[in-house]
Amino acid sequence: MIEDTVIAPGGHWGRIIAKGQTLRIVDLEGQQAVDFLCYNAARPEERYNAADTMKYAGSIYVGKGVSLYSGLGRKLFTVVEDTCGHHDTIGGCCSAESNELRYKVKDTPNCRDNFVRALAPFGLGMKDVVANVNWFMYVPVAADGTMAIALGPSKPGDHVELRADMDALAVISNCPQIYNPANGFKPTPIRIQVRD
């Protein structure tokens, strides 16, 4: 074990994961969305590409066996374990602006600001926040294309484990959202484990 850390509700985290190491994200209490981005550690302009990941997987959802691809068609991470089965690629991260537009509340804690804080120690910032993966978040899409953020399906202890396919920077926002059901309206802690 290289790292074993509990991230508080609304907290953020970032670390370079070496090729072959694994990153496990554990939903300690259930129904907690975890926003995630990743980058080539050596050249962070190469980063997770949501559209390409969905095209290669043939699905808008990610799960065991699915790889997260960069815009250059290279694998950043591969999901090697998944006890939940519902993870979102289309909902993106919340921001103060989107919360104000959708819920009429100003200056809310949000995942975009968390990403910016997590990226800062690596010399990255707002321009580097792109469409992300939301672990444990359920965004059903109907046949007519309508979508919604639904109550998270994860149970206490559910986890997803990713293997780094290159030296990769991973950043996390433990989503602080309380205005939609992504976190069951009550953000809770998560656990991060990095292993060789």
Side-chain angles (χ1 to χ4, degrees):
M1 184 80 69
I2 296 168
E3 181 175 349
D4 189 353
T5 302
V6 172
I7 309 298
H12 63 276
W13 175 92
R15 181 188 180 104
I16 293 175
I17 312 292
K19 181 178 180 178
Q21 291 179 339
T22 60
L23 167 63
R24 179 176 284 203
I25 304 165
V26 184
D27 185 352
L28 292 172
E29 298 182 26
Q31 296 186 325
Q32 176 60 43
V34 179
D35 292 44
F36 178 84
L37 280 172
C38 52
Y39 308 76
N40 177 336
R43 295 178 52 236
E45 63 274 15
E46 181 181 7
R47 70 233 3 226
Y48 171 70
N49 185 294
D52 286 350
T53 295
M54 288 183 271
K55 283 185 279 191
Y56 300 142
S59 174
I60 61 172
Y61 302 115
V62 295
K64 186 174 180 178
V66 171
S67 295
L68 306 182
Y69 281 88
S70 78
L72 299 180
R74 300 193 319 147
K75 294 179 184 180
L76 291 156
F77 284 94
T78 297
V79 181
V80 293
E81 234 179 274
D82 176 15
T83 64
C84 177
H86 287 285
H87 310 287
D88 164 64
T89 55
I90 61 174
C93 66
C94 59
S95 67
E97 294 81 5
S98 67
N99 284 339
E100 183 174 356
L101 185 65
R102 296 178 73 202
Y103 309 115
K104 311 300 185 235
V105 290
K106 289 182 178 286
D107 302 321
T108 55
N110 63 85
C111 289
R112 190 181 65 197
D113 288 349
N114 276 350
F115 277 146
V116 171
R117 284 189 281 272
L119 288 167
F122 304 95
L124 303 174
M126 178 81 81
K127 67 178 174 36
D128 303 296
V129 177
V130 296
N132 60 284
V133 176
N134 294 304
W135 303 114
F136 314 117
M137 189 165 120
Y138 184 44
V139 179
V141 178
D144 66 358
T146 56
M147 59 175 271
I149 296 172
L151 196 63
S154 55
K155 302 176 299 304
D158 271 345
H159 64 271
V160 62
E161 188 163 312
L162 312 170
R163 182 193 65 236
D165 292 308
M166 65 171 70
D167 291 351
L169 167 62
V171 293
I172 282 174
S173 170
N174 189 20
C175 183
Q177 183 61 258
I178 60 171
Y179 298 101
N180 70 47
N183 299 322
F185 301 101
K186 181 182 178 277
T188 56
I190 60 168
R191 187 174 195 173
I192 303 297
Q193 297 176 316
V194 180
R195 293 182 175 90
D196 266 329

